[in-house]
Amino acid sequence: MPHTVIESAPSLSPTSPAQAPLDVARLRQDFPILAREVHGKPLIYLDNAATSQTPQQVIDVFSDYYSRYNANIHRGLHTLADEATAAFEGTRHRVRAFLNAEDARQIIFTRGTTEAINLVAQSWGRKNLAPGDEVLISMLEHHSNIVPWQLLAAEIGFTIKVIPVEANGTLDLAAYRALLSERTKLVAVNHVSNAFGTVNPVQEMAALAHHQGAVILVDGAQAAPHQVVDVQAIDADFYAFSGHKVYGPTGVGVLYGKQALLEAMPPWQGGGEMINTVSFDVGTTFAAIPHKFEAGTPAIAEVIALGRALEWMESVGVSAIGAWEGQLLAHATQAAGRIDGLRILGTAPDKAAVLSFIVDGAHSQDIGLLIDQLGVAIRTGHHCAQPLLHHFGVDATCRASFAAYNTLEEVDRFIEALQRVINMVR
Ligand code: PMP
């Protein structure tokens, strides 16, 4: 069977524009893990920027898929293969709508944001970057939007330049403008910083990049969970996000690309699924997008489950989720500000649901370990943003990050637990 992206979109429940406040008590019931205890205390899960928890509707996809229609996709002529293919391609349509992409063919499934960025580096970058060219990244980047460019720069010899940050964790836009030149071929920035929560003005940054003829890649790993993303409004050339941060499973993510760019890019990995014909005599021809970039059997159940996770988010309302998390963040910021010796890193006016902090006289690592004993899961360390933390003179912070299912009471209990832990270690 030739490769197809099924033309007719499966019926999607409409994205709710409703701004009604969340019924948090009700939606918490969708997450069985939230009922568990840790060290005899009710779990308070505040490590959502690393991985969000998964609703039962998404968990159910796995048993449903493996007990009813497990089959390899695209090539089969039997019923199970058809059902699996329809469900897999259904997610592609849902992701298209979720990002407001023009066409489902522009949605490529990857293992996550990291693989999506590596795909762009190895396919677009290898073809389009040359010695003397410049790639602009920012001080706020996650290692997965730094290292792929460093690896390629070491081979090709282009230059990486870094957009600096202000003291409050916002990007220095004047410096960005000054760094842009006719040598700039690519700007690669995150939409939201995982370490500080800063929301970057990617639409404005895209317009400036395009004005110089550069392409912009937006790492949306921390934006897709919290805000409505419109790749056309941003005018992003590439946009990436991960399933496990949007209430979906690990092992799956998305790369969106502009059609003309994707069509002009060479394949990245070779194998089954990505070819038209293979021959020893006349060479091999490649499938059209998106399949050209999807070599081998993909994570079928995970992709289907990602579709279910996005459906869950849309049924709750993406804007409503972001608004609620904003309340949680404001509450936590205020309460944390009253703790003696606590310093928040990242105080940008526009922030997503991330509270990063250090405490005088208390190691972040100790805080993380001890607060876990009280049932509170936060993250401590460099958050895969070592250059940023180094710039601020620290090698680790504590980070609490919020999701739709967190409550104001949980924030209060987290702050109480934090105060107890600080009293213990000081
Ligand atoms: N970029 C950002 C901003 C992130 O927060 C993360 C995950 N922490 C990544 C990229 C990498 O995502 P993944 O590990 O899912 O590939």
Side-chain angles (χ1 to χ4, degrees):
M1 185 165 95
H3 283 110
T4 47
V5 172
I6 293 169
E7 289 295 339
S8 61
S11 62
L12 307 177
S13 54
T15 305
S16 161
Q19 288 301 300
L22 299 194
D23 186 350
V24 180
R26 214 234 34 82
L27 70 84
R28 279 180 74 83
Q29 290 168 7
D30 289 342
F31 294 82
I33 206 168
L34 297 179
R36 76 161 279 183
E37 296 194 334
V38 171
H39 303 301
K41 310 275 188 322
L43 167 68
I44 298 179
Y45 186 78
L46 301 180
D47 193 18
N48 296 287
T51 285
S52 52
Q53 297 301 342
T54 311
Q56 188 64 52
Q57 295 88 327
V58 173
I59 299 169
D60 286 346
V61 167
F62 289 89
S63 66
D64 187 41
Y65 172 77
Y66 285 109
S67 52
R68 286 202 315 110
Y69 62 105
N70 176 26
N72 213 328
I73 52 170
H74 293 138
R75 285 160 303 185
L77 285 178
H78 56 79
T79 301
L80 268 54
D82 277 352
E83 289 177 8
T85 303
F88 181 92
E89 292 298 334
T91 296
R92 208 185 300 276
H93 287 281
R94 188 169 286 281
V95 175
R96 187 214 63 74
F98 185 75
L99 295 178
N100 192 32
E102 298 87 337
D103 193 294
R105 293 173 182 82
Q106 295 167 271
I107 304 302
I108 295 158
F109 293 117
T110 64
R111 282 193 302 121
T113 304
T114 303
E115 190 174 72
I117 296 171
N118 277 277
L119 190 166
V120 176
Q122 293 301 323
S123 172
W124 182 89
R126 208 171 266 289
K127 180 167 180 199
N128 291 286
L129 296 170
D133 288 344
E134 292 179 0
V135 168
L136 296 191
I137 62 175
S138 90
M139 185 62 90
L140 287 171
E141 295 318 304
H142 187 280
H143 295 164
S144 61
N145 200 21
I146 300 174
V147 183
W149 306 113
Q150 290 178 327
L151 289 172
L152 196 61
E155 273 184 60
I156 292 182
F158 60 83
T159 305
I160 297 173
K161 296 220 158 157
V162 181
I163 308 161
V165 277
E166 318 242 11
N168 68 357
T170 49
L171 282 185
D172 181 342
L173 282 192
Y176 171 55
R177 283 171 194 271
L179 282 168
L180 279 166
S181 76
E182 69 286 350
R183 288 185 299 279
T184 313
K185 292 291 169 339
L186 173 76
V187 176
V189 284
N190 58 38
H191 195 167
V192 171
S193 148
N194 68 308
F196 285 5
T198 312
V199 180
N200 292 316
V202 286
Q203 189 165 344
E204 191 183 339
M205 294 180 79
L208 289 165
H210 291 149
H211 188 68
Q212 279 295 345
V215 162
I216 186 163
L217 174 149
V218 181
D219 166 358
Q222 296 293 343
H226 308 297
Q227 63 179 80
V228 174
V229 174
D230 183 334
V231 289
Q232 293 189 68
I234 295 169
D235 202 12
D237 296 295
F238 298 107
Y239 196 97
F241 74 95
S242 296
H244 67 101
K245 297 184 201 283
V246 291
Y247 309 95
T250 56
V252 62
V254 166
L255 174 69
Y256 157 87
K258 281 194 182 152
Q259 186 160 342
L261 287 173
L262 292 174
E263 280 173 347
M265 281 158 56
W268 174 40
Q269 296 177 330
E273 300 275 340
M274 50 76 72
I275 50 83
N276 246 343
T277 55
V278 177
S279 145
F280 289 128
D281 309 319
V282 291
T284 291
T285 57
F286 302 114
I289 61 166
H291 305 291
K292 181 169 71 172
F293 297 110
E294 293 179 355
T297 302
I300 301 168
E302 284 78 356
V303 166
I304 298 168
L306 169 63
R308 196 66 192 81
L310 298 182
E311 188 183 348
W312 183 88
M313 280 184 78
E314 287 167 346
S315 72
V316 174
V318 180
S319 307
I321 291 173
W324 173 240
E325 292 165 341
Q327 288 185 43
L328 295 168
L329 178 67
H331 189 62
T333 304
Q334 251 186 10
R338 289 194 286 269
I339 295 180
D340 184 37
L342 183 147
R343 179 156 75 94
I344 296 171
L345 283 96
T347 51
D350 196 4
K351 270 183 70 170
V354 169
L355 184 74
S356 219
F357 58 91
I358 52 174
V359 182
D360 285 346
H363 282 297
S364 297
Q365 191 87 356
D366 294 341
I367 294 176
L369 283 171
L370 288 169
I371 207 166
D372 175 64
Q373 295 294 318
L374 303 175
V376 182
I378 60 169
R379 182 142 297 240
T380 56
H382 54 60
H383 316 300
C384 298
Q386 280 181 337
L388 177 68
L389 267 61
H390 186 244
H391 177 76
F392 280 83
V394 296
D395 49 21
T397 74
C398 297
R399 182 186 71 184
S401 53
F402 308 102
Y405 41 67
N406 290 125
T407 65
L408 293 167
E409 296 73 44
E410 284 184 317
V411 173
D412 288 337
R413 280 169 35 217
F414 152 60
I415 296 288
E416 275 167 39
L418 181 60
Q419 186 66 71
R420 268 181 71 185
V421 164
I422 293 170
N423 294 343
M424 278 153 78
V425 296
R426 264 192 187 147

